[in-house]
């Protein structure tokens, strides 16, 4: 194979770029696919490890029902006292912080570990949410916030009939 590095650079020879032979794959596309597979595999394995401070991400779901907006955020390892929730006109803010300290002394060794994790999320809210009547609950590491919609916002919803073509 007498292909050179410059032949792999797409902008080097736009007018005479080598065409892959039938059944032959583009080497750049193959390299890209292999690199993607390598990094995805690495991050999947790293994400499966049981880090004491968590993965740095808090999974969240936002669902709009006919009468409210409901937000659920997973906060594993946090306690209710570590969480702060606030709502403004059009924004929900959730802050949380956890600190874990562990000390263990046994025959022949002493172990001292400290870890820290924090979350800060702002979630934009649709118009018509009544922040004054918002409710939050925390159970089994999941924070659930229910923000009812105002009667005016509920009245503005118009159902549209779907017809066949």
């Amino acid at each position: 194979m007498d292909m050179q590095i410059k032949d792999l650079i797409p902008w080097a020879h736009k007018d005479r770029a080598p065409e892959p032979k039938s059944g032959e794959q583009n080497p750049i596309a193959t390299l890209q696919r292999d690199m993607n597979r390598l990094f995805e595999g690495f991050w999947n394995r790293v994400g499966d490890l049981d880090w004491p401070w968590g993965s740095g991400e808090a999974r969240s779901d936002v669902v709009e029902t006919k009468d409210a907006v409901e937000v659920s955020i997973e906060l594993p390892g946090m306690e209710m006292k570590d969480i702060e929730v606030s709502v403004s006109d059009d924004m929900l803010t959730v802050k949380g912080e956890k600190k874990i300290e562990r000390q263990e002394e046994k025959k022949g060794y002493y172990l001292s570990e400290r870890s820290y994790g924090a979350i800060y999320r702002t979630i934009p809210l649709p118009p018509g949410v009544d922040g004054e009547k918002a409710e939050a609950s925390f159970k089994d590491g999941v924070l659930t916030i229910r923000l009812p919609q105002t009667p005016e916002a509920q009245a503005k919803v118009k159902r549209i009939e779907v017809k066949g073509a």
Side-chain angles (χ1 to χ4, degrees), residues 4-160:
Q4 295 182 2
I5 294 293
K6 67 179 182 179
D7 295 328
L8 297 175
I9 302 171
W11 60 85
H13 304 286
K14 289 183 181 176
D15 56 330
R16 61 182 186 102
E19 292 291 323
K21 297 174 187 164
S22 64
E24 184 179 301
Q25 291 188 357
N26 182 333
I28 298 293
T30 303
L31 177 64
Q32 179 70 46
R33 199 172 28 257
D34 291 345
M35 293 300 291
N36 287 345
R37 201 173 299 130
L38 175 74
F39 280 104
E40 286 170 7
F42 171 77
W43 289 116
N44 286 339
R45 283 191 298 279
V46 168
D48 290 341
L49 295 176
D50 188 21
W51 299 100
W53 53 86
S55 65
E57 293 190 26
R59 295 183 184 166
S60 58
D61 294 314
V62 179
V63 178
E64 186 172 359
T65 65
K66 65 179 182 174
D67 61 344
V69 173
E70 297 176 358
V71 179
S72 298
I73 302 175
E74 293 179 13
L75 302 171
M78 288 195 191
E79 297 178 20
M80 195 165 55
K81 66 179 177 59
D82 301 327
I83 302 167
E84 179 184 319
V85 180
S86 62
V87 65
S88 65
D89 294 332
D90 60 350
M91 201 69 66
L92 172 69
T93 303
V94 177
K95 298 177 192 177
E97 182 177 33
K98 66 179 172 181
K99 295 177 185 174
I100 300 172
E101 288 189 37
R102 184 179 121 189
Q103 294 185 2
E104 188 176 314
E105 190 170 350
K106 289 190 178 177
K107 186 177 179 180
Y109 75 90
Y110 177 77
L111 172 69
S112 178
E113 292 180 323
R114 291 184 184 97
S115 63
Y116 169 82
I119 175 179
Y120 181 87
R121 292 280 189 279
T122 55
I123 300 168
L125 298 173
V129 171
D130 190 354
E132 296 292 322
K133 295 182 181 175
E135 299 173 348
S137 61
F138 186 69
K139 181 179 180 187
D140 297 332
V142 179
L143 175 66
T144 304
I145 304 157
R146 186 173 189 282
L147 302 133
Q149 292 182 346
T150 61
E152 296 82 26
Q154 292 177 30
K156 287 182 183 178
V157 175
K158 179 183 176 189
R159 186 173 180 91
I160 300 171

